[in-house]
Amino acid sequence: MIVDRGSREPEVRQELQEICSISKSRAGYDYADYCFLEVLPPFIAEGISKCVATGVDFITVMPYFLYPGMKLKDTVKQSAKIGKDRKVKMAITKPLSYHPMMARLIVDRINELKKDRGIRLPDIECDVVLIGHGSSDKNARDAFVYTANAIRQYYRSVHFCFLELDHPNIEEGIGQAISENPKVILMMPYFLHRGAHIKTDVVKDVNATLGKFSFTNAFMARHLGVDEKLVDLVVERAKEVEKRFGL
């Protein structure tokens, strides 16, 4: 059972359905589905109820989050309480953070962007700006910075910034990159889904910033989305806890 933060955007549900379908097939699960922590149903209680209704003996809950912040803590707390109250055998995995696969996914997205845009500069001559959501939780910031640091070896420079709740913001982060006289800036939105932030908020702030600095040689990669590497990580996290229960 994948637990996502939640969104009103239909693309988010579509991506989660694909992730669940591929995970179910790849790992041989009897059942795989998703639910939301907040925003819209199905919420965690409904998600677990649907699992139980299929007759499963054990549920592995995957908190589908990039950062170990408050949303993760709420997901773990709610899932554990519901499992205990309903006497469901359950394990809760680690989130996606602090895993080398996330850095590889970023590099993949940047490589895709360079190919799509016909950018022939070697990576060592490219500047990257990693854009995160932002959180007031220091643990979330630490996890994001860890991922940014993991890709520094590949590029001329790597800057990071946040949409909200933390600094540097998008204008500050891109401005720092521009101040170093880059040949090109490759921007990577470090978001799991194509939700409202990707469709509107990030694009708005990025365009406003590039216009302010009159910098045109900057390009945006696609978000993390559906990816076999990401599915592999989901399954890996699940197997880690399932082994502890002898499964």
Side-chain angles (χ1 to χ4, degrees):
M1 171 60 62
I2 288 177
V3 183
D4 189 80
R5 184 259 176 178
S7 173
R8 292 181 173 83
E9 302 300 319
E11 291 92 338
V12 174
R13 292 176 180 266
Q14 181 180 351
E15 289 178 352
L16 286 167
Q17 288 171 351
E18 289 184 51
I19 291 286
C20 288
S21 176
I22 300 170
S23 298
K24 180 177 182 293
S25 174
R26 184 158 299 179
Y29 287 116
D30 294 319
Y31 179 86
D33 205 351
Y34 69 90
C35 59
F36 293 133
L37 171 65
E38 55 190 15
V39 183
L40 288 177
F43 297 123
I44 295 175
E46 182 181 345
I48 291 176
S49 294
K50 288 172 65 178
C51 282
V52 172
T54 66
V56 298
D57 299 317
F58 189 94
I59 300 174
T60 302
V61 175
M62 168 72 209
Y64 202 59
F65 296 94
L66 293 172
Y67 315 110
M70 291 303 300
K71 302 299 183 183
L72 170 65
K73 295 172 186 175
D74 289 346
T75 296
V76 171
K77 183 178 180 180
Q78 285 191 37
S79 300
K81 185 179 186 305
I82 294 169
K84 181 179 180 181
D85 291 346
R86 300 187 183 182
K87 297 180 173 57
V88 176
K89 293 181 181 179
M90 177 189 295
I92 302 174
T93 78
K94 295 178 183 178
L96 301 169
S97 53
Y98 291 109
H99 193 287
M101 188 70 78
M102 302 313 297
R104 291 198 288 273
L105 279 165
I106 293 171
V107 172
D108 284 351
R109 292 293 174 272
I110 294 172
N111 287 340
E112 290 174 6
L113 176 63
K114 290 177 69 177
K115 181 178 179 181
D116 291 344
R117 294 289 186 167
I119 298 169
R120 294 182 173 82
L121 288 170
D123 288 341
I124 200 63
E125 294 182 22
C126 296
D127 290 41
V128 170
V129 175
L130 192 63
I131 304 172
H133 179 278
S135 171
S136 58
D137 192 309
K138 181 180 180 298
N139 293 324
R141 180 187 177 90
D142 289 346
F144 181 72
V145 173
Y146 175 90
T147 303
N149 288 337
I151 65 169
R152 290 189 186 280
Q153 61 183 308
Y154 305 115
Y155 305 102
R156 189 181 83 112
S157 71
V158 173
H159 296 268
F160 63 85
C161 56
F162 302 96
L163 174 64
E164 57 187 13
L165 302 176
D166 204 349
H167 288 281
N169 61 30
I170 288 176
E171 180 178 322
E172 293 165 342
I174 294 177
Q176 289 169 5
I178 292 173
S179 71
E180 296 183 0
N181 299 314
K183 294 180 179 179
V184 65
I185 293 178
L186 307 175
M187 298 171 290
M188 171 63 203
Y190 194 59
F191 289 75
L192 284 170
H193 306 299
R194 191 171 180 270
H197 287 321
I198 292 296
K199 290 180 179 179
T200 304
D201 303 329
V202 171
V203 173
K204 178 182 177 181
D205 286 2
V206 165
N207 287 342
T209 299
L210 295 176
K212 178 179 179 178
F213 288 98
S214 299
F215 189 88
T216 59
N217 204 32
F219 306 94
M220 181 87 73
R222 68 183 178 95
H223 64 291
L224 294 168
V226 179
D227 192 287
E228 291 196 359
K229 285 188 176 72
L230 201 49
V231 172
D232 288 340
L233 177 50
V234 169
V235 172
E236 180 181 325
R237 288 297 196 218
K239 296 301 182 183
E240 286 172 356
V241 295
E242 289 163 3
K243 286 179 181 178
R244 299 174 195 167
F245 289 83
L247 300 174

